[in-house]
Amino acid sequence: MADTDSKGPEVTESIGTSGRESPRTENAGACGDAPSRSGTDANTPDERAASDTAGKGYFAYLRTREFYTVLLIGQVLALCITATNTFTNLLAGAGTSIPSFQTLFNYILLTLVYTSYTIYRCGFKGWIQLIRERWWKYIIFAFCDVEGNYFIVLAYRYTTILSAQLINFWAIVIVVLLSFFLLRVRYHWAQYLGIIVCIGGMGVLFGSDHITGSTAGDSRSKGDQIKGDLFALLGATFYGFANVAEEYLVSKRPMYEVLGQLGLYATIIMGVQSAIFDRESFQTAVWNSKVGGYLTGYTLCLFIFYSLAPLLFRLASAAFFNISLLTSNFWGVVIGVKVFKYAIHWMYPIAFVLIIIGQCIYYLGRRVWGEATKPWLGRNQEKGVAGIGTAKRRIESNAGGAASAV
């Protein structure tokens, strides 16, 4: 979380804003926005500070309901990503590795659900207007997300499920760097320590895998595994950019708009990419009912993942989102024992506990709002949208003017 209290009202906008767009142009009068009671004066700094400092001490945030909500959502997302990784590995094992086409169905589903709802909320003219105003932001976001999915799915063609999950570590590095330099997020010492403990837990997991040789029976060559790991790291880089962009966008826009625009542009990008790069894969792919079931399971799990992720970005941050996904390595091993006949080691539960402890350490010393307050939205979050999980909604609710945006 950014230490905004020590910096006063100083705020910087980044990623999606330009010098000719004011915060009022970005948020006022557009579809889906819940207006503040009186613009930026809906709450004074003293009112917001009083709400945020209602509980103090190192364990203030850990005693709130929001912390356990964040922890639960993080584990649900970890299970979803583990399920998609498992389905991807099953597809590759069945002889069907089509990185672009595989994820295309998820983007189509996002478009059908969330773009339709955006048009319902905004009207067709309002939808066209938001495209004209913000199309380039969503295209950049969609491109990073598409390439992240493409390269991590491609990685499973060459490497194992455990090796490919190294993605989580590098994504954390990218997210922290981008948040620090672009969004001006300033992390607390406990957050750095929590991240290190979480990474240490993941190190225990992969170290134990190396010791026991749980994937020794895998038929892939060393060269293929190295190639797969490089694809996973490239995918992690794109994921890091996409995560930071999504945290920024959902803090300023309704979630249904962000997901609908992501689905729309990603469908186009992924469709073109699939037609170019997946032709040979289509010809050699195996098509049967089992493969159809794997694709359906992959798409549904990924859709749930995309639908819940914006809540975690609003309640927490892109950094916490990624350290939450580290437990997917543990869940991946648990599933791998049954599905892929991996050998489990006594160090795996220790790794899981370390990651959970790291997530708790991450929020030591944080105030009762945790990371819900975003430094780029202003001291009273006046530049943000008043939607589910946002600090602006809580500010207006505490002041008697609850918001209605999503």
Side-chain angles (χ1 to χ4, degrees):
M1 166 184 169
D3 292 330
T4 55
D5 294 327
S6 62
K7 297 182 182 301
E10 182 181 350
V11 181
T12 3
E13 289 217 81
S14 39
I15 292 188
T17 56
S18 63
R20 54 195 176 88
E21 288 184 326
S22 67
R24 189 166 183 80
T25 303
E26 177 75 5
N27 288 312
C31 74
D33 291 326
S36 299
R37 294 185 306 139
S38 56
T40 58
D41 296 326
N43 289 271
T44 65
D46 289 341
E47 286 176 311
R48 182 232 151 178
S51 299
D52 197 13
T53 58
K56 292 184 177 181
Y58 277 101
F59 302 100
Y61 185 64
L62 271 62
R63 292 194 295 264
T64 65
R65 182 180 61 183
E66 285 73 17
F67 169 71
Y68 295 99
T69 300
V70 163
L71 207 62
L72 177 61
I73 294 175
Q75 290 312 295
V76 171
L77 292 176
L79 285 169
C80 286
I81 206 68
T82 300
T84 61
N85 291 339
T86 302
F87 282 122
T88 297
N89 217 37
L90 288 170
L91 283 166
T96 304
S97 179
I98 39 178
S100 294
F101 183 75
Q102 178 178 325
T103 312
L104 179 62
F105 293 111
N106 170 62
Y107 292 128
I108 292 174
L109 190 56
L110 287 173
T111 303
L112 291 175
V113 174
Y114 293 108
T115 297
S116 299
Y117 186 69
T118 303
I119 294 173
Y120 168 76
R121 287 290 298 261
C122 307
F124 188 75
K125 290 184 178 180
W127 179 66
I128 294 296
Q129 179 184 350
L130 74 87
I131 289 177
R132 288 175 177 172
E133 292 177 354
R134 292 177 287 278
W135 61 271
W136 61 275
K137 300 176 187 178
Y138 289 120
I139 286 181
I140 294 173
F141 170 37
F143 177 80
C144 291
D145 194 75
V146 163
E147 299 311 319
N149 282 324
Y150 175 78
F151 283 109
I152 188 56
V153 173
L154 185 63
Y156 284 98
R157 184 184 295 177
Y158 301 100
T159 191
T160 65
I161 186 172
L162 293 179
S163 295
Q165 286 176 345
L166 282 167
I167 180 178
N168 294 317
F169 165 72
W170 185 242
I172 292 171
V173 175
I174 297 296
V175 162
V176 170
L177 290 175
L178 290 177
S179 297
F180 186 89
F181 289 108
L182 297 185
L183 297 182
R184 303 298 177 89
V185 173
R186 297 298 177 260
Y187 294 97
H188 187 259
W189 65 265
Q191 292 174 294
Y192 286 115
L193 179 59
I195 291 173
I196 292 172
V197 172
C198 287
I199 292 174
M202 191 187 71
V204 171
L205 181 68
F206 283 95
S208 60
D209 175 60
H210 176 73
I211 291 171
T212 60
S214 62
T215 58
D218 195 275
S219 60
R220 297 175 177 89
S221 68
K222 289 290 185 181
D224 280 349
Q225 290 195 28
I226 292 174
K227 186 187 297 184
D229 288 345
L230 290 175
F231 283 141
L233 289 174
L234 185 57
T237 302
F238 280 112
Y239 271 148
F241 277 89
N243 291 164
V244 173
E246 185 169 5
E247 182 184 2
Y248 176 84
L249 290 169
V250 298
S251 71
K252 298 177 75 71
R253 306 301 309 166
M255 289 190 298
Y256 57 80
E257 177 188 310
V258 176
L259 291 175
Q261 291 293 288
L262 168 64
L264 177 65
Y265 294 116
T267 297
I268 298 171
I269 296 171
M270 188 65 90
V272 172
Q273 191 164 303
S274 180
I276 296 173
F277 296 108
D278 281 350
R279 290 182 180 180
E280 184 178 346
S281 299
F282 264 104
Q283 295 173 357
T284 58
V286 176
W287 298 101
N288 53 40
S289 59
K290 183 182 292 187
V291 168
Y294 293 157
L295 282 173
T296 301
Y298 176 86
T299 299
L300 291 177
C301 290
L302 199 57
F303 178 78
I304 294 171
F305 178 86
Y306 272 81
S307 298
L308 288 177
L311 283 175
L312 197 61
F313 286 125
R314 283 180 171 182
L315 289 166
S317 65
F320 188 83
F321 170 85
N322 279 278
I323 64 174
S324 294
L325 296 186
L326 289 178
T327 55
S328 66
N329 298 295
F330 171 80
W331 299 121
V333 171
V334 171
I335 293 175
V337 169
K338 295 292 184 182
V339 179
F340 305 111
K341 308 305 179 184
Y342 292 159
I344 196 167
H345 191 265
W346 59 268
M347 295 172 69
Y348 290 146
I350 294 177
F352 179 82
V353 172
L354 275 175
I355 293 171
I356 296 297
I357 290 175
Q359 292 178 23
C360 294
I361 293 174
Y362 183 87
Y363 279 119
L364 283 180
R366 299 299 83 201
R367 293 179 174 179
V368 295
W369 284 12
E371 291 184 296
T373 51
K374 310 296 183 182
W376 58 89
L377 299 180
R379 182 172 177 81
N380 292 306
Q381 306 296 283
E382 62 273 6
K383 300 175 186 178
V385 64
I388 297 173
T390 63
K392 183 176 180 179
R393 183 176 181 133
R394 293 176 75 180
I395 291 173
E396 296 188 352
S397 179
N398 290 342
S404 60
V406 179

